[in-house]
Amino acid sequence: MSAVADAVLYEGYLLYPYRRSSPKNRARWQFGVLFPRDWVEADGPVAAGMSGAADSWYQRTECLLRVRRPDAAVRLRVRVRYLHLQHKQVEDADGRPVESLTCDDGTVQLTFEEAVARAADLTVTLDEGEHRFAVGSPAATDTEELPSGAGRIVRRRTEVRASAVLEAERLGEDLFRLRVRTTNDGQVEDPHAPRDLALRHALIATHTLLGVEGAEFVSLIDPGRALQEAARSCRNDFTFPMLGGAPPATAPEDGSASALLLSSPIILPDHPQVAPESPGDLHDAGEIDEILTLRTMLLTDEEKREARATDPRAAEILDRVDTMPPEVFERLHGAIRSLGPAGEASPDGRPAWWQEGGDDGLSPATDTVLVDGVRVGGGSPVRLRPRGRGADAQDMFLAGRTATVAAVFHDVDGSTHLAVTVDDDPAAELHGWYGRFHYFRPDEVEPLGGTDVPDPAAAEEPSPGPTPSEA
């Protein structure tokens, strides 16, 4: 769980090509940023949403806590984590600020923005009521002398004033709603100041970790039938809670639950995990490790020198890439975890592993699949009904929307997926042209209008010859 939380904390901290001169690295800190309220609302209130990609002055997490034994003592642990911006200023031997400085050993130091990881903890016994705790950080200045008296690095941090409130509300004999609200309580001198200046007063990549003893957190994605209404009543602003830890071996009948919970500004599924093949953080979890590693390998020596001078974390990435053993790099090519041993067949008789010629006769554009007695294929109108348990978190936002099937795809593990475009998406036609679709299982869609696409296989069958009487 800590690896996933760290990936959230440093997502977008520094982006490829990891150089200060890169335009991407002049617009950092995009997730979970809590600014002072006067700066955020200088032009009006912000609209709340579950994703933390929008600037805000607060985060609100609500989740369900189920007590299995009413007589058990329940202890809650809450940790709010974020990055605290610090300005790294390089000065020459005379104390004058400079943009860059080359030391006698050839190393280069660049003036840039860094960040320090911060955390605030609270441990309490579960009871109804509020518990407030401070999560801010004081102002500070640190000085680092460079070798041979070449100059110094001065790192300055502005005070971040912030607090969090934990509140427990009893919904039933064994059920509580927990609420954690983190707010930036500071102010900026100029509410219309540029964003890069306001960031010095902000909490960056803010997220919340919760742990419990004697109870369990209930999934808001898969709460079970009995707790569906309670789950829907939970309000989450600029963040979304998901269960932590390893997923259970078998799906529980009364919904998913865990003793760990991560409330993240980046929407993730329950029980998120970092792929074991990944050798380290690249600060961009939206990229594929193999592609990003290959791109980093192709940086010129001059580009690598600038990246190393930009930030110590960039230097760590370059060191790891430059010294990566071939067997580690080969693992980045990918892994399939959903297949059985070679030779096994899936329930529908398809081979468990793709073999040459295994896709002969398949045509995504004309293939069909039977859904609730209706044959569905390219052009079929459907309503999206993503399943609660195990569904992709992004798919849940499309529940109830109408869509049009573009193709039917058969996976190497024998499963089938429908590629669809959402009807009210203004870019649906463009997505179809590019081949960028949403994918759903047949049991996650509802055919509309009774449309029955003909089965091409049946249409291709030759008609029987005349019977003797007809001849």
Side-chain angles (χ1 to χ4, degrees), residues 29-53:
W29 328 118
Q30 299 298 324
F31 295 96
V33 184
L34 305 187
F35 288 96
R37 185 172 185 175
D38 58 348
W39 186 87
V40 174
E41 297 188 340
D43 297 319
V46 296
M50 281 189 290
S51 172

Side-chain angles (χ1 to χ4, degrees), residues 83-395:
L83 293 177
H84 185 185
L85 188 71
Q86 68 179 9
H87 179 67
K88 172 191 173 186
Q89 178 64 61
V90 179
E91 297 180 354
D92 63 16
D94 296 325
R96 293 174 299 193
V98 294
E99 285 299 305
S100 65
L101 185 67
T102 302
C103 301
D104 293 341
D105 60 1
T107 59
V108 179
Q109 296 291 342
L110 298 177
T111 294
F112 198 53
E113 304 294 337
E114 300 175 337
V116 180
R118 301 296 190 198
D121 296 287
L122 174 72
T123 301
V124 297
T125 301
L126 177 65
D127 58 6
E128 292 189 87
E130 293 185 354
H131 301 272
R132 180 180 296 271
F133 59 106
V135 298
S137 299
T141 300
D142 301 326
T143 301
E144 175 188 349
E145 298 293 334
L146 296 175
S148 304
R152 65 191 59 82
I153 298 174
V154 180
R155 293 179 170 90
R156 295 183 177 89
R157 296 181 296 278
T158 303
E159 180 188 18
V160 172
R161 298 176 56 194
S163 60
V165 177
L166 167 68
E167 182 179 1
E169 175 188 0
R170 185 183 290 274
L171 300 181
E173 182 180 359
D174 59 351
L175 187 67
F176 288 81
R177 179 190 290 120
L178 296 185
R179 181 180 301 114
V180 180
R181 182 181 170 93
T182 303
T183 60
N184 188 320
D185 303 323
Q187 292 182 322
V188 294
E189 295 180 2
D190 178 9
H192 296 280
R195 187 176 187 270
D196 58 347
L197 294 181
L199 278 167
R200 301 183 183 186
H201 303 269
L203 294 78
I204 300 170
T206 314
H207 59 279
T208 305
L209 289 162
L210 294 97
V212 66
E213 298 174 7
E216 59 188 8
F217 298 105
V218 177
S219 168
L220 297 189
I221 299 173
D222 177 26
R225 182 170 299 179
L227 296 180
Q228 283 184 357
E229 289 301 320
R232 290 193 190 101
S233 70
C234 290
R235 172 185 160 190
N236 288 277
D237 296 340
F238 306 104
T239 187
F240 187 76
M242 69 284 304
L243 302 183
T250 58
E253 295 182 359
D254 57 350
S256 300
S258 174
L260 295 172
L261 185 138
L262 166 64
S263 187
S264 163
I266 301 171
I267 298 176
L268 299 169
D270 282 335
H271 308 291
Q273 295 178 329
V274 174
E277 293 80 13
S278 180
D281 194 359
L282 294 167
H283 303 324
D284 194 343
E287 285 277 5
I288 299 172
D289 278 14
E290 182 183 31
I291 295 176
L292 203 50
T293 298
L294 284 169
R295 289 176 176 174
T296 304
M297 288 178 173
L298 293 176
L299 293 175
T300 65
D301 290 342
E302 182 178 350
E303 289 172 330
K304 289 183 177 181
R305 278 194 296 272
E306 183 188 350
R308 292 182 188 279
T310 295
D311 190 277
R313 292 186 176 274
E316 291 176 7
I317 292 174
L318 293 175
D319 289 341
R320 187 171 66 243
V321 168
D322 287 344
T323 60
M324 185 178 295
E327 60 272 16
V328 175
F329 181 76
E330 288 175 3
R331 290 203 300 267
L332 297 183
H333 192 57
I336 299 176
R337 310 184 203 282
S338 60
L339 304 181
E344 282 189 6
S346 59
D348 62 0
R350 292 184 181 273
W353 176 248
W354 184 85
Q355 300 175 0
E356 187 172 355
D359 58 353
D360 289 348
L362 299 180
S363 175
T366 59
D367 283 352
T368 61
V369 63
L370 203 61
V371 180
D372 294 337
V374 177
R375 193 158 291 280
V376 172
S380 296
V382 296
R383 190 176 302 279
L384 304 178
R385 302 292 190 192
R387 63 192 188 280
R389 179 168 296 154
D392 185 284
Q394 298 287 350
D395 291 347

